Amino acid sequence: MINDSLHRLLLDNLTTATLLLNADLRLEYMNPAAEMLLAVSGQRSHGQFISELFTETREALGALRQAVAEAHPFNKREAVLTTQTGQSLTVDYAVTPVLSRGETMLLLEVHPRDRLLRITKEEAQLSKQETTKLLVRGLAHEIKNPLGGIRGAAQLLARQLPEESLKDYTNVIIEESDRLRNLVDRMLGSNKLPSLAVTNVHEVLERVASLVEAESQGSILLVRDYDPSIPDLVIDREQMIQAVLNIVRNAMQALASKPDAHPGRITLRTRTLRQFTIGYIRHRLVTKIEIIDNGPGISPELQETIFYPMVSGRADGTGLGLAITQNIISQHQGLIECESHPGHTVFSIFLPLEQGVTPT
């Protein structure tokens, strides 16, 4: 026979957020998955009314009361819940009446759609990234081979020229060939593996902040919003500085493009997230770095392609900064996302904090 302790063990280890409400719609039990989803403590929340855990609509509350009165199960799709912290969650949930000790209780199984939608979007992004890498590698091979021949021919020609002044022309050929080769190498990204070491993420951000303050000379307000409790990461410090700096410099250039609209502000924010999925791996703990600016925003058409090489929103941009950043974050088994509308652009970097991971 399966005893109560085994039932509790099974519920506690489910990845589906599960809550049990009594007939008065007060919490009797929630499993750890529900605690993480709603960002509350099950022990402290015991006995609380459902609306103290999250709010939805009056109609939804009435449906729960009706489910108790009529012992009638129901499902709801794409419901929007607002948690105690003010976070909005899009979820599907199933409500099942359960008879216990002569009382009708409600079992709620909550499936977050935000996470599924994000995973789907991430998989598409990673697939596009791999396709782009293959395309760039093939293109780089086709460009670098002729460039080497052009450069070599120019060097041989320079040796045969009768006048020193004519070498100015061959020097232009050699210099432009080198410039194109360097551009292709930057498109390919570094072949060097990250030099991993235990690093405080705020050291990285403070280094970026000092560079920004020096370059902006006080024209941009830099806001720090750090979580000092974040443990150290195992990262390549110099590569991560470059990754964050590429994003921040883009924000600076965006703010400079409309200097009279409003005071330019860039916020560097750090937080930790629990049970976060990157790719097919669920990490117990990740660090989230946000770079937020109040610039003009990124056009919706460009948002889908900003991490591609050679894609830029500026006429004088190379379009390599964000592609390089994404490559660095990928080498650290992390994820980068962007959300933007006029007056508010957020680049979010997610980096695993723990080495132990479990598949989703």
Side-chain angles (χ1 to χ4, degrees):
M1 292 292 291
I2 299 178
N3 55 35
D4 289 343
S5 61
L6 185 54
H7 280 141
R8 182 64 176 260
L9 180 65
L10 292 173
L11 284 170
D12 284 349
N13 285 278
L14 285 177
T15 57
T16 301
T18 304
L19 301 89
L20 183 65
L21 307 177
N22 62 23
D24 296 324
L25 302 186
R26 294 187 177 276
L27 182 69
E28 291 290 332
Y29 165 80
M30 68 164 56
N31 67 353
E35 291 179 335
M36 286 183 287
L37 179 66
L38 301 175
V40 296
S41 165
Q43 186 174 1
R44 292 180 181 178
S45 302
H46 186 269
Q48 287 187 344
F49 188 63
I50 185 69
S51 294
E52 297 178 80
L53 302 173
F54 60 82
T55 56
E56 194 186 348
T57 62
R58 289 184 180 180
E59 292 78 9
L61 198 59
L64 292 175
R65 289 197 172 102
Q66 186 177 0
V68 172
E70 300 178 3
H72 181 68
F74 70 93
N75 297 324
K76 188 165 184 181
R77 304 297 181 193
E78 297 187 4
V80 178
L81 311 182
T82 303
T83 67
Q84 288 180 344
T85 59
Q87 181 184 6
S88 292
L89 300 172
T90 303
V91 303
D92 296 340
Y93 63 82
V95 177
T96 306
V98 177
L99 189 63
S100 175
R101 297 187 296 273
E103 178 186 12
T104 300
M105 308 180 80
L106 296 183
L107 181 68
L108 272 66
E109 300 170 76
V110 186
H111 303 270
R113 289 187 58 83
D114 304 82
R115 179 170 172 267
L116 295 175
L117 292 171
R118 185 186 57 74
I119 291 173
T120 301
K121 181 180 177 182
E122 178 192 338
E123 288 175 348
Q125 179 179 313
L126 292 174
S127 176
K128 289 178 183 177
Q129 181 184 354
E130 288 303 314
T131 302
T132 303
K133 280 183 181 178
L134 292 174
L135 178 63
V136 169
R137 284 172 187 161
L139 183 62
H141 177 75
E142 295 300 322
I143 292 175
K144 290 180 77 171
N145 281 348
L147 276 179
I150 292 170
R151 191 182 193 282
Q155 288 176 318
L156 291 173
L157 180 60
R159 295 173 189 171
Q160 303 300 320
L161 292 175
E163 297 180 24
E164 194 69 25
S165 61
L166 294 175
K167 291 185 179 180
D168 290 343
Y169 300 108
T170 55
N171 286 339
V172 169
I173 297 173
I174 292 169
E175 288 169 4
E176 289 301 296
S177 296
D178 288 342
R179 186 179 67 83
L180 287 173
R181 184 194 62 201
N182 291 336
L183 178 62
V184 170
D185 286 340
R186 288 180 65 197
M187 286 174 63
L188 286 171
S190 175
N191 290 324
K192 179 184 174 184
L193 293 174
S195 178
L196 301 177
V198 176
T199 306
N200 188 296
V201 67
H202 299 122
E203 290 181 13
V204 170
L205 297 182
E206 281 302 297
R207 175 60 178 163
V208 172
S210 65
L211 293 171
V212 170
E213 289 169 340
E215 291 177 16
S216 66
Q217 297 182 344
S219 63
I220 292 174
L221 174 64
L222 189 65
V223 179
R224 297 165 172 85
D225 182 5
Y226 297 159
D227 178 355
S229 68
I230 295 177
D232 290 346
L233 295 165
V234 180
I235 56 175
D236 185 315
R237 182 178 181 273
E238 296 306 315
Q239 283 193 9
M240 200 56 62
I241 288 173
Q242 185 63 58
V244 175
L245 189 59
N246 288 345
I247 299 173
V248 173
R249 280 189 172 143
N250 278 356
M252 291 171 62
Q253 290 159 354
L255 291 169
S257 67
K258 292 192 176 181
D260 300 327
H262 39 62
R265 185 180 68 252
I266 296 175
T267 301
L268 302 177
R269 178 183 295 162
T270 59
R271 295 291 186 269
T272 55
L273 299 175
R274 296 182 182 277
Q275 300 298 334
F276 190 86
T277 300
I278 300 176
Y280 297 100
I281 303 298
R282 188 178 49 157
H283 299 271
R284 291 193 292 271
L285 204 62
V286 301
T287 291
K288 181 181 183 182
I289 304 169
E290 291 181 304
I291 299 97
I292 307 166
D293 72 75
N294 64 338
I298 303 168
S299 67
E301 303 80 29
L302 199 59
Q303 287 185 41
E304 295 297 320
T305 57
I306 54 172
F307 295 110
Y308 288 177
M310 311 306 289
V311 173
S312 175
R314 306 191 317 276
D316 60 343
T318 63
L320 293 177
L322 290 179
I324 291 169
T325 291
Q326 187 183 52
N327 185 56
I328 291 171
I329 301 304
S330 295
Q331 286 185 319
H332 286 78
Q333 287 77 52
L335 171 69
I336 181 169
E337 294 180 341
C338 174
E339 292 183 10
S340 181
H341 58 264
H344 187 77
T345 297
V346 183
F347 280 87
S348 301
I349 297 172
F350 303 90
L351 298 170
L353 257 170
E354 300 186 0
Q355 298 299 312
V357 293
T358 54
T360 54

